[in-house]
Amino acid sequence: MQRRSVITGIGPVTTIGIGKDAFLAGLRREESAIRRLPAQGVAAPLHDDPHVHAKNAAWIEDFDPSAFFPPHRLKR
């Protein structure tokens, strides 16, 4: 009897890298993915919200969900 295996998913999607190779490279750099919130850019709405007192955060900058999911799934 042959055993079968199925690998599913897109791999790790983290703040230090998307995919196995980028994630491993991020771990090897030993750099923290937590950074100061920018005044402009991806996390700017958080920075401008008076209810959010955080000055530091981690976010995934380069993640493009359309590269991994079909259009009908993006609406979810």
Side-chain angles (χ1 to χ4, degrees):
M1 178 174 141
Q2 287 185 331
R3 292 184 171 227
R4 295 182 185 184
S5 65
V6 177
I7 300 171
T8 62
I10 60 174
V13 177
T14 71
T15 56
I16 61 172
I18 300 171
K20 180 184 69 166
D21 296 332
F23 179 65
L24 185 58
L27 289 175
R28 288 185 176 150
R29 284 194 306 268
E30 297 181 5
E31 294 177 1
S32 175
I34 298 172
R35 297 182 291 273
R36 189 129 180 101
L37 286 170
Q40 298 177 339
V42 176
L46 289 177
H47 191 276
D48 295 336
D49 188 342
H51 303 306
V52 177
H53 300 289
K55 301 293 181 202
N56 300 307
W59 65 92
I60 303 171
E61 292 181 5
D62 301 332
F63 183 65
D64 178 19
S66 63
F68 300 100
F69 299 103
H72 70 278
R73 296 284 309 267
L74 294 175
K75 293 178 183 178
R76 296 182 191 173

